[in-house]
Every structure is written in structure tokens, then in C-alpha cells.
Amino acid sequence: MISFRGDAHKLYLKIRENKLNNKKLRDIKPLTEIQEFQNFYREIDSDTLKTIYYRMIKEKNGSGIIPIFVTSVPWFFFLFSKQLQELLFKEGSVLWILFSFIYLFTLSTSVILHFRERAWAAVHIEIIQDTLKNRKDKGNTEQFS
């Protein structure tokens, strides 16, 4: 089933399909993946988990190379626009098509990867926060599994 509504809706469709087919919901790959993260983080002591949490915050909020690339490359092209136009639009030249395709593909891929990485960082942050909160609620700040 093709859906352009995003990952949340695709997950809903998988869950609904498994439920209609009387299959276990826990066996859905995106859910088992999250469970693996949860189990892994439960095995780590609280101090180390806090350090990992801080690193994940940095990863999520850090500017990184991709946003810099997305914002600086167009300015670079603008700086050399006259020379670039002369090269790309010579009589009979189709270099502009190749250039446009490569540039748009690279730009699109970079933006998609950046936001996917931010989303994964957010997932890990939430799991770590929940793990630390559960330990605090149980009164056991140095829980090992």
C-alpha cells in the first residue's frame, strides 16, 4: 500500500494490517527496533546514560555540516554566477541540465538526511529521558540490568 503521509501514518497502516490479520503487534519491525533501543539503554548506568543524553542533545541541536552546506552553497554559486552561466549556457551545451540535476539531488538528499538524523536523535533522547525518569521514580538511580 503506497502512502505519502509520512512515517507515522505508515506505522499506523502496518499496525492496523497486523491487527486485522491477527498478528502480534510487537513483531512489527519499527516497534521491535524501538524496544531494542529501550533494552539497550536500560543496561547502562545512569551517569553514563546522562552523558549519552547530553551528546544526543548536541546532535539534535547542533548545526552540523548539512545545514551549513544547504545555506552556503547557493551563496557560493551566486558569487560566481557570471562565470557559472558562461560555462553552463555555452551554445549547444547541455551542462546546465547535468549541473541542475546533481545540485538538486545533492541538496534534497542532504536535507532529507539531516532531518531524519534529527528525528532519530529525538527518539533516542525520549527513550533516555524515560529510562532516567523511571529509575528516579523507582528510587534506584544506579540500576543495572
Side-chain angles (χ1 to χ4, degrees):
M1 183 177 305
I2 295 176
S3 173
F4 295 106
R5 291 188 177 180
D7 290 342
H9 188 70
K10 289 176 189 175
L11 178 61
Y12 162 74
L13 293 175
K14 282 183 182 183
I15 291 170
R16 190 180 78 180
E17 180 182 338
N18 277 24
K19 188 150 178 72
L20 292 174
N21 294 331
N22 293 323
K23 294 181 181 176
K24 290 183 180 179
L25 297 180
R26 289 189 164 264
D27 293 338
I28 298 172
K29 187 178 188 272
L31 298 181
T32 59
E33 189 173 41
I34 299 296
Q35 289 169 347
E36 288 174 13
F37 298 154
Q38 289 172 324
N39 293 335
F40 177 75
Y41 287 132
R42 283 184 193 128
E43 296 174 2
I44 299 174
D45 66 279
S46 294
D47 288 335
T48 305
L49 205 53
K50 286 178 187 176
T51 304
I52 294 169
Y53 169 77
Y54 297 138
R55 180 61 189 192
M56 292 290 181
I57 293 290
K58 184 257 177 213
E59 185 70 28
K60 182 180 176 199
N61 294 330
S63 61
I65 192 71
I66 293 173
I68 292 170
F69 169 76
V70 168
T71 57
S72 66
V73 170
W75 284 106
F76 180 77
F77 289 149
F78 179 71
L79 184 64
F80 297 104
S81 63
K82 184 176 180 184
Q83 296 90 337
L84 195 58
Q85 285 179 8
E86 288 174 4
L87 174 71
L88 295 177
F89 298 111
K90 288 181 188 174
E91 280 192 43
S93 176
V94 291
L95 278 177
W96 67 271
I97 296 172
L98 179 64
F99 173 81
S100 299
F101 176 77
I102 290 171
Y103 176 70
L104 291 175
F105 177 78
T106 305
L107 188 66
S108 301
T109 303
S110 299
V111 170
I112 290 168
L113 287 175
H114 172 70
F115 284 105
R116 286 183 64 88
E117 290 302 315
R118 280 184 58 106
W120 276 114
V123 167
H124 285 272
I125 288 167
E126 288 296 322
I127 292 170
I128 291 170
Q129 284 180 325
D130 287 346
T131 302
L132 290 170
K133 183 181 179 302
N134 288 341
R135 288 180 187 175
K136 185 178 178 182
D137 291 347
K138 290 180 182 178
N140 185 1
T141 60
E142 291 302 321
Q143 176 180 339
F144 294 92
S145 293

